[in-house]
Amino acid sequence: MEQLQLKKVDIIFGWDEKVTPIDVYDKTIKKSADSIILDMIDSGLKGRGGAGFPTGLKWKFTRNEDSDAKYVICNADEGEPGTFKDREILDRVPEKVFTGMAICAYVIGAREGYIYVRGEYNFLLKSLQKKVDLFNQQLAERKSDFTIYLRSGSGAYVCGEESALFESMEGKRGEPRNKPPYPTVSGYNGKPTVINNVETLVYTCEICRMGSEKFKSFGTFDSRGSKVFSVSGDTPTPGIYELELGMPLKDFVEEFADGDAKAVQIGGASGHCVPRKKFNETIIGFEGIPTGGSMMIFNSTRSMYNVLHDYLEFFTEESCGQCTPCRVGCQQLLKGIEAVKKGEKSPTYLEDLKKLTLTMKIAAKCGLGQSVANPFISIVDNFKEEIIY
Amino acid sequence: MTNTENLVHELVEKHGRDRNSLMPILQGLVSQEKFLSEEAMIAIAKELDLSAADVYGTASFYTFLDTVPRGKNIIRICKTISCHMRNKDEIIAVLEDQLKVKVGETTHDKRFTLLTANCLGWCHKGPVMLVNDEVFPEVTPQKAIEIVEEYIKKSN
């Protein structure tokens, strides 16, 4: 397997002053929609929100739908504990996000685009609105009929799930929908919709600027390009970093941890917890452990019981309550580890709880309930004695 | 019409009567009145031709759409893991002591409500405190007290 060393890059925030995002738009829309889609597919860009669906295909499927209205939605409902990259992107290079949206709109034939910003980031809205207005004006000057609007969330983690986000935008409880149909067929207002994460849209802009060949030269065969990582926990250098995908976790720990790391939670609360003994063999990328970007480092002073307890409390509170496996499952897992810790249940009860997470993985309606198994099993398996004693 | 009904009417005029306008209308009310009263939700339901239960169903789903009265200033302390690791408990304790309330309560003078939040997106700069829409990262107990004092001064 192709393996990289950790490499920092500066694509997103490294500005080439000579080329502005609107220049990228002007240059790109001279090409046909089909050729832009081919560039996206060729670049190998996969969604940076965590699920990793190929962006070019998403655009292609939506373009192929016949509909009187289509939408482009930027998912800025970043709510995974440990993730804060989208806020930084929206704050520092929002025009690149708008450009990605406008190019997507050109490709699929959309007239309206929305940026759904999580309620916790309301402080960004005022300055963002000014920049959106300016960008919309630039689009209007180019005779484009595409307009971007801002929408604010109201504090619900599950609204980061694309169909729950549509429900929220439609004035309903943010509960995930049954799939299929997928958003490319029936999204916002039941119309074909491309919904991309903030970072994904920035990379679409960058691919249009630098070309797919150049983008492909970053990362590995399975994990093309770079990505922004949010680093937090026991690290002397918390913050956001743009790194090439496909690096060994060992390199990441050497670069960012405090020398005493015993575990790294990759992909936020819903991701996998990797213990020290597996740092060497773990690859960060689609060929190893994919991540939306959150990297939380825990050193030997931390109780992994407390870490898991925090995650389970989070999921219990943020479960939308619609489907039983998630609503009841999260509560039972939380009560379960508390009971084991207090000695009210035998340690073997953890095995029953693991089976419950596997049921949730199969039976829960959306990614929230499905992914609780990731932290639960990886922490219980690797730090069992800390959960029990 | 009451003040609340007037406000609802203004917001409906601004955002429209479509169901898609419900969230911005609810958000507009919360920013003005700090919570969604029964009167407000019934007024919205009438204006948008929805059942009041439907409006309540949406309103009660979201953390930032309060359906119980809140103080003029809402303080939220992030309680998830990164802030926990950076002693968010100390910040909560010092604020509970300063405001003489527990988490979830509102001060007698209705100036402050103290709440916790599930991740505010500042995991690298915890502990973090959100007052209304204003963010304060890397808060120390001393800094938390000063922030509240500033808000008291502003509202005097």
Side-chain angles (χ1 to χ4, degrees), chain A residues 197-236:
Chain A
N197 170 261
V198 171
E199 189 188 344
T200 312
L201 287 163
V202 168
Y203 278 119
T204 62
C205 171
E206 292 295 352
I207 289 164
C208 293
R209 183 178 65 86
M210 69 169 74
S212 60
E213 282 303 318
K214 175 80 178 160
F215 183 79
K216 273 199 299 191
S217 69
F218 298 104
T220 58
F221 179 79
D222 294 303
S223 305
R224 294 292 189 201
S226 55
K227 120 151 247 31
V228 183
F229 288 85
S230 321
V231 183
S232 65
D234 292 313
T235 162

Side-chain angles (χ1 to χ4, degrees), chain B residues 60-112:
Chain B
S60 58
F61 186 82
Y62 297 91
T63 314
F64 284 20
L65 299 180
D66 292 300
T67 52
V68 291
R70 299 295 193 198
K72 190 176 171 206
N73 300 294
I74 301 178
I75 301 173
R76 290 181 162 93
I77 309 294
C78 179
K79 65 173 180 173
T80 34
I81 189 73
S82 303
C83 289
H84 191 157
M85 288 162 68
R86 290 176 186 258
N87 302 323
K88 54 96 185 160
D89 288 340
E90 272 183 25
I91 309 298
I92 293 174
V94 84
L95 289 174
E96 284 183 337
D97 188 52
Q98 186 188 14
L99 299 169
K100 306 284 179 265
V101 291
K102 294 280 175 204
V103 168
E105 294 177 349
T106 300
T107 55
H108 282 297
D109 59 8
K110 309 269 186 274
R111 269 185 186 170
F112 294 97

Side-chain angles (χ1 to χ4, degrees), chain A residues 160-182:
Chain A
E161 197 280 340
E162 52 196 18
S163 63
L165 188 150
F166 301 144
E167 291 287 298
S168 176
M169 282 179 63
E170 292 172 15
K172 301 167 198 158
R173 299 165 72 87
E175 292 175 344
R177 297 173 181 169
N178 287 322
K179 290 181 192 174
Y182 292 97

Side-chain angles (χ1 to χ4, degrees), chain A residues 1-5 216-224 244-248 283 287-288:
Chain A
M1 193 188 294
E2 192 183 354
Q3 196 165 307
L4 283 180
Q5 288 187 316
K216 273 199 299 191
S217 69
F218 298 104
T220 58
F221 179 79
D222 294 303
S223 305
R224 294 292 189 201
E244 279 192 54
L245 279 169
M247 67 192 145
I283 305 292
E287 62 270 65

Side-chain angles (χ1 to χ4, degrees), chain A residues 23 51 68 74 94 102 138 150 180 214 235 255 284 341 364:
Chain A
D23 295 337
D68 57 337
C74 168
Q138 288 176 324
L150 285 183
K214 175 80 178 160
T235 162
E255 177 75 23
I284 304 168
K341 193 73 171 175

